[in-house]
Amino acid sequence: MINFKAFQVLIATVFLFNLNFSQAQTVAPDLIHNSWKAVWITAQGASMNGYGVYLFRKNIDLPEKPKKFVVFISADNRYKLYVNGQFISAGPARGDITHYNYEIIDLVPYLKAGQNVISAQVWNEAEYRPEAQISLRTGFILQGEGAEEQIINTNKSWKAVSDSSYKPLRAEFPRGIYYVAGPGEFVDMRKHIRNWPEPNFQDSSWSAAQQIEPGTPKYIMFPFINPSTWLLVPSTLPPMELTVQRLKVLRKAIGVTAPNDFPALRSAVTIPANTSATLLLDQGFNTNAYPTLSFSGGKDGGISIAYTETLYTKYPAKGNRNEVENKSFIGRKDSILSDGTNNQTFTSLFWRTYRYVQIKITTKEQPLIIDDFYGTFTGYPFQLKARLTPDQQDMNKMLEIGWRTARLCAFETYTDCPYYEQLQYIGDGRIQAMVSMYNSGDDRLVKNALNQMDESRQPEGITESRHPSYTPQFINTFSLWYIGMLHDYMMYGTDVNFLKDKLPGERQVLAFFRRFQDESGSLKNVPYWSFTDWVTSKGWQFGVAPTGKDGSSAALDMQMLLAYQSAADLENKEGSKGQAAEYLRYADQLAKTIKLKYWDKEKKLFADRPEKDFFSQHVNALAILAGLINGQEALAMGHRLTADSSLAPASIYFKYYLHMALTKAGLGNDYMSWLGKWKENLSKGLTTWAETSDLETTRSDCHAWGASPNIEFFRTILGIDSEAPGFARVKIEPHLGDIKNINGEMPHPKGTISVQYNISHAKTSAKIILPDGVTGTFIWKGKSYPLKPGNNIITLPNSI
């Protein structure tokens, strides 16, 4: 029997121990920061889980400007941090409750000797919050790193107040549109607390903050931890980029006359009293930005700011994205009620995605003046390090659009689309990760994605299809792609040792699928969503490839085979050779079964199911990638895949795998002829790649799974590929097709790879520069030539 009194003493001791943070360190120092003495705080009377916006302030006195002043900061849902009135940080990076991120910031550049004010805006969007925002309750925490910084710790010495001027504005879309990216904001400037981050703001009427509970690092040694608390981990990501980005042009003005240079330049637009006016602004391209509206006057007047990727001819038809006449505006919006004073400012709490912005103003008895409107671009701070100088006009335009698409789909996580979902799906993320590594060489967001996918794994072994996400979703095929994504990172990433911690998860994923393999190795009746691609062909349902009467599917069996092959290579190079041998045995068995079960001798194609009544590009592309067919047979199959219009076609997403398969089959020189869908995007005025191949009715105009040309222009055309873990060896096998002159470069973990090709009537010349310590192989017309670090010049007569 438990001694209840002793138990109470133990609990009290644990709580005080927690509060004083003298815990032992149980993991490497780079994983946690110990000795947290700050506590989570909220405003007096704040709702735990309801919608609310809250302001926090603390004054500190410094005898001199410090040389270092590092703090850790987090909030639920999110925060914006200010020092002496200057905005310096937004966050935290999205995660889950058991891996709740805090940011690490050195405040020195913003501090001064004497009085300083630290302030934060924290908001909880409650049931309206984005699907990707996992939340426990409203809270804010800030912890100083060292002894001198402890003065800043959050506790009841902070002041706090609720900002009642904010209300949620639910985003409304036509029925059937899946939108989960959060609400708009209604802001009543008559209740708004202005200039609250400024040092001279008077906060004497504010109450002391309410303490919630101690900050708890994830890796600690306590006998008891509150099961309903944030387990804090340091974010591994850099701060997001913030760059002012002005909209380019005013496309329409109804009920008002605007200056010719508005909004490209700061210009005042006056809306007379008792007037309704509409302004349609065009950024010129899709973007993610914090919109800022500065305005004066217009007491009790209303302003609506709406955002959309494109206008509609007749919903859901979109037409050419550059056209605005005879089109309707459907989109998320914010609304503002003016208090009539000068120099009012609205900036959204979170960023918005838009190409077009529609501002509607309704004035009362007082004119309203728009002093300025602009955006502040934000996103993961990728730097483009890949370069291409082609002799074909469309290539650089496609690279530009692909890079923009990739950037808009990369924030604190990868996102499938910035406008509608902002969710990090494995299927999307695998392609996005390759774009990141081929174009920027920065793999920090890749590692973050792999960590979060692993953290989403369920006790039964399967990962969630997307994470972070407060609503669980399981796409079984995406768990298999996760293993492929781990293998991609092994070959192209900078930190091969990072994968060692992922091998147990890889094994658990495969163990989950083993339960649904029959004696032949074929998968049967695998639970959850077996999504392959958005295909409307006969036999396909909601993205799921045709399934046989016995519950089997060639697409799923093919992906299982690829997963075994990738896992075997991972284990052989990073883990257990015995485990690798076991996976290879499973793979050999499954390969034999697939050939017996799905191969159609007459069509010389693999069928989608055992009944052999449906055929697709997908299944046969996967067969080539898995090595089920090789040599001249693979080449012949490749020709069939491009010529047979009866096959269920791959969408812009799955063309990534189709094009890899065709290249492996020997058709890489035709790559430029496969880009019809991307050229159609260009002709329709898109500035980012659409979600689906049906450009007229596609939901999202920005989906980075379509940015695969940003990989293949370098991997297929220039031929630059990894031949060993960590890109330690390079294979360069160009597929130039009709291109006669082209040069380019791309980042490598040890520097830059540069290539230059020139084909004349008599000879082919290749100049290849590899980083120090990197060797490789150049392959041209089936023959191999060794490559050394530094300059390599290869000249071959065209008769070879």
Side-chain angles (χ1 to χ4, degrees):
M1 176 179 283
I2 295 175
N3 182 320
F4 186 69
K5 186 173 182 179
F7 183 73
Q8 285 182 312
V9 171
L10 175 61
I11 293 297
T13 303
V14 169
F15 179 79
L16 290 173
F17 189 52
N18 219 335
L19 189 61
N20 291 325
F21 294 105
S22 58
Q23 74 274 15
Q25 183 170 313
T26 58
V27 296
D30 61 336
L31 291 180
I32 64 168
H33 291 91
N34 282 324
S35 302
W36 281 51
K37 296 179 180 176
V39 296
W40 286 88
I41 60 174
T42 187
Q44 295 287 344
S47 170
M48 286 181 58
N49 300 110
Y51 182 93
V53 178
Y54 307 96
L55 310 177
F56 298 86
R57 281 174 57 94
K58 181 178 175 66
N59 290 286
I60 60 173
D61 190 12
L62 299 175
E64 60 183 8
K65 183 179 174 68
K67 294 182 180 179
K68 180 176 78 73
F69 203 95
V70 174
V71 300
F72 315 142
I73 179 172
S74 191
D76 189 344
N77 300 160
R78 299 190 67 84
Y79 74 84
K80 290 181 181 178
L81 180 69
Y82 300 80
V83 175
N84 294 324
Q86 184 174 351
F87 170 66
I88 64 168
S89 174
R94 284 173 173 163
D96 57 43
I97 301 304
T98 59
H99 307 85
Y100 208 84
N101 284 303
Y102 61 87
E103 312 303 316
I104 304 172
I105 309 165
D106 191 346
L107 302 185
V108 162
Y110 316 99
L111 296 172
K112 64 183 188 301
Q115 286 292 316
N116 294 266
V117 61
I118 316 301
S119 52
Q121 181 183 47
V122 174
W123 64 95
N124 185 340
E125 292 180 313
E127 69 269 26
Y128 306 96
R129 71 187 184 273
E131 174 67 47
Q133 182 64 55
I134 295 177
S135 173
L136 180 62
R137 59 159 296 176
T138 304
F140 172 59
I141 191 166
L142 192 151
Q143 162 77 37
E145 181 183 51
E148 294 181 358
E149 292 104 323
Q150 299 301 302
I151 189 175
I152 206 171
N153 291 353
T154 46
N155 49 42
K156 62 184 178 181
S157 68
W158 280 68
K159 290 190 171 185
V161 71
S162 174
D163 187 344
S164 62
S165 65
Y166 284 87
K167 291 183 180 179
L169 198 60
R170 188 183 296 276
E172 296 182 355
F173 291 92
R175 187 174 181 180
I177 287 290
Y178 184 58
Y179 174 88
V180 289
E185 298 152 25
F186 172 80
V187 181
D188 188 343
M189 301 301 290
R190 299 171 303 182
K191 301 178 181 180
H192 198 54
I193 302 172
R194 298 176 67 174
N195 303 317
W196 61 271
E198 298 299 327
N200 58 0
F201 178 83
Q202 296 299 313
D203 58 13
S204 57
S205 63
W206 291 21
S207 300
Q210 176 183 334
Q211 297 187 162
I212 304 174
E213 61 179 85
T216 307
K218 180 174 177 62
Y219 301 99
I220 57 176
M221 188 181 293
F222 288 148
F224 296 95
I225 298 175
N226 181 355
S228 298
T229 194
W230 303 270
L231 298 183
L232 292 160
V233 295
S235 173
T236 59
L237 303 178
M240 299 299 105
E241 179 181 342
L242 292 167
T243 303
V244 172
Q245 187 180 66
R246 300 202 67 88
L247 288 92
K248 292 188 181 286
V249 67
L250 173 66
R251 298 294 296 270
K252 281 187 178 182
I254 301 172
V256 67
T257 300
N260 292 333
D261 55 5
F262 175 83
L265 299 176
R266 181 185 176 101
S267 306
V269 180
T270 300
I271 296 89
N274 301 309
T275 298
S276 293
T278 301
L279 302 168
L280 180 63
L281 313 181
D282 185 357
Q283 178 70 53
F285 49 82
N286 230 354
T287 192
N288 295 336
Y290 292 94
T292 295
L293 175 69
S294 301
F295 61 102
S296 299
K299 182 174 174 57
D300 299 330
I303 306 169
S304 168
I305 311 173
Y307 318 90
T308 189
E309 295 179 310
T310 188
L311 306 184
Y312 293 83
T313 53
K314 184 178 180 182
Y315 184 83
K318 296 181 174 181
N320 190 294
R321 278 35 170 203
N322 295 322
E323 298 170 357
V324 301
E325 295 300 325
N326 302 314
K327 284 190 169 186
S328 59
F329 193 107
I330 300 172
R332 177 184 188 178
K333 68 178 180 179
D334 300 309
S335 292
I336 308 150
L337 197 59
S338 173
D339 67 8
T341 63
N342 292 332
N343 303 316
Q344 300 172 72
T345 300
F346 167 81
T347 299
S348 60
L349 295 174
F350 200 61
W351 47 265
R352 307 293 189 240
T353 299
Y354 57 83
R355 172 177 173 175
Y356 293 101
V357 176
Q358 180 177 265
I359 305 176
K360 288 188 173 182
I361 309 102
T362 302
T363 57
K364 301 293 187 181
E365 301 302 318
Q366 185 185 27
L368 185 146
I369 301 170
I370 295 178
D371 298 312
D372 199 9
F373 184 82
Y374 62 91
T376 301
F377 170 79
T378 190
Y380 185 89
F382 281 121
Q383 298 294 314
L384 180 60
K385 295 182 179 179
R387 181 186 59 80
L388 192 65
T389 305
D391 65 358
Q392 300 206 13
Q393 292 182 344
D394 284 344
M395 292 181 73
N396 273 328
K397 186 64 176 177
M398 289 183 184
L399 284 175
E400 173 194 335
I401 291 177
W403 182 242
R404 180 183 297 118
T405 308
R407 291 222 60 197
L408 296 195
C409 294
F411 190 61
E412 298 154 354
T413 65
Y414 289 115
T415 69
D416 62 327
C417 60
Y419 192 97
Y420 292 93
E421 296 188 50
Q422 298 175 12
L423 288 165
Q424 182 172 248
Y425 286 89
I426 296 174
D428 306 61
R430 185 181 187 188
I431 299 172
Q432 291 170 284
M434 289 296 291
V435 173
S436 298
M437 291 187 284
Y438 258 87
N439 286 197
S440 77
D442 184 343
D443 63 6
R444 288 173 291 180
L445 197 60
V446 183
K447 293 168 71 175
N448 184 73
L450 290 170
N451 279 334
Q452 292 183 324
M453 292 164 188
D454 189 42
E455 290 158 5
S456 80
R457 196 176 65 256
Q458 302 299 293
E460 61 187 320
I462 194 171
T463 65
E464 294 188 24
S465 64
R466 61 193 194 189
H467 194 68
S469 170
Y470 67 80
T471 304
Q473 185 197 74
F474 302 98
I475 299 177
N476 50 48
T477 51
F478 280 14
S479 278
L480 296 174
W481 280 151
Y482 167 66
I483 295 174
M485 191 172 175
L486 289 173
H487 190 270
D488 291 344
Y489 187 81
M490 179 181 74
M491 298 303 292
Y492 301 96
T494 63
D495 183 6
V496 177
N497 289 330
F498 165 78
L499 292 172
K500 292 188 182 297
D501 290 340
K502 301 295 175 287
L503 295 181
E506 160 245 297
R507 295 164 191 161
Q508 289 181 32
V509 169
L510 290 176
F512 167 83
F513 284 93
R514 283 286 298 165
R515 293 178 232 165
F516 302 98
Q517 288 183 279
D518 63 17
E519 293 181 356
S520 72
S522 182
L523 289 163
K524 298 286 182 64
N525 301 313
V526 182
Y528 306 120
W529 185 11
S530 299
F531 174 84
T532 296
D533 189 17
W534 290 121
V535 176
T536 57
S537 297
K538 188 175 180 181
W540 290 70
Q541 294 184 348
F542 203 61
V544 178
T547 302
K549 293 179 181 179
D550 66 349
S552 67
S553 159
L556 200 51
D557 278 346
M558 297 284 187
Q559 274 197 246
M560 187 71 192
L561 176 58
L562 284 166
Y564 274 141
Q565 292 170 343
S566 293
D569 200 34
L570 276 165
E571 293 286 354
N572 188 50
K573 293 182 172 71
E574 302 294 328
S576 163
K577 293 189 181 300
Q579 186 70 71
E582 182 178 8
Y583 288 152
L584 286 176
R585 287 196 300 272
Y586 294 154
D588 288 344
Q589 179 195 31
L590 181 54
K592 293 174 183 175
T593 296
I594 289 173
K595 290 177 182 178
L596 290 172
K597 190 170 187 176
Y598 303 109
W599 179 249
D600 187 299
K601 294 180 180 178
E602 292 183 3
K603 289 183 176 290
K604 297 189 183 305
L605 291 168
F606 288 94
D608 290 348
R609 62 181 190 169
E611 289 82 350
K612 299 181 183 178
D613 49 356
F614 299 114
F615 295 82
S616 66
Q617 289 184 324
H618 307 74
V619 161
N620 290 282
L622 295 175
I624 294 171
L625 291 175
L628 292 173
I629 189 165
N630 296 287
Q632 289 301 310
E633 289 184 335
L635 180 62
M637 177 181 282
H639 284 299
R640 283 192 287 276
L641 292 184
T642 58
D644 189 344
S645 60
S646 71
L647 302 178
S651 80
I652 192 170
Y653 154 56
F654 210 88
K655 286 181 186 294
Y656 172 67
Y657 298 102
L658 174 63
H659 293 170
M660 281 198 295
L662 293 174
T663 300
K664 184 177 179 180
L667 296 173
N669 283 316
D670 297 335
Y671 180 80
M672 289 301 298
S673 68
W674 303 334
L675 299 179
K677 187 53 60 178
W678 286 267
K679 292 178 181 178
E680 185 183 347
N681 273 251
L682 293 176
S683 69
K684 292 285 188 179
L686 280 97
T687 60
T688 47
W689 302 128
E691 176 179 11
T692 66
S693 292
D694 185 353
L695 303 186
E696 188 65 17
T697 60
T698 184
R699 178 192 58 157
S700 167
D701 273 7
C702 184
H703 241 69
W705 67 13
S708 56
N710 282 59
I711 306 165
E712 303 309 341
F713 283 175
F714 298 92
R715 183 167 63 181
T716 297
I717 292 180
L718 297 186
I720 305 170
D721 205 355
S722 173
E723 203 172 38
F727 231 142
R729 278 187 54 82
V730 176
K731 181 182 77 171
I732 299 184
E733 184 177 7
H735 300 86
L736 302 181
D738 295 330
I739 298 173
K740 302 301 181 185
N741 296 282
I742 190 170
N743 62 78
E745 61 184 34
M746 60 165 284
H748 181 276
K750 291 188 176 181
T752 300
I753 297 174
S754 175
V755 300
Q756 181 176 335
Y757 305 120
N758 180 274
I759 300 178
S760 66
H761 177 72
K763 63 182 181 180
T764 295
S765 299
K767 180 179 180 181
I768 298 166
I769 303 176
L770 300 184
D772 289 345
V774 178
T775 60
T777 305
F778 176 72
I779 300 173
W780 183 252
K781 295 185 177 181
K783 292 190 176 182
S784 298
Y785 306 86
L787 297 173
K788 66 182 189 300
N791 289 334
N792 296 266
I793 298 176
I794 301 170
T795 302
L796 302 169
N798 281 343
S799 59
I800 294 179

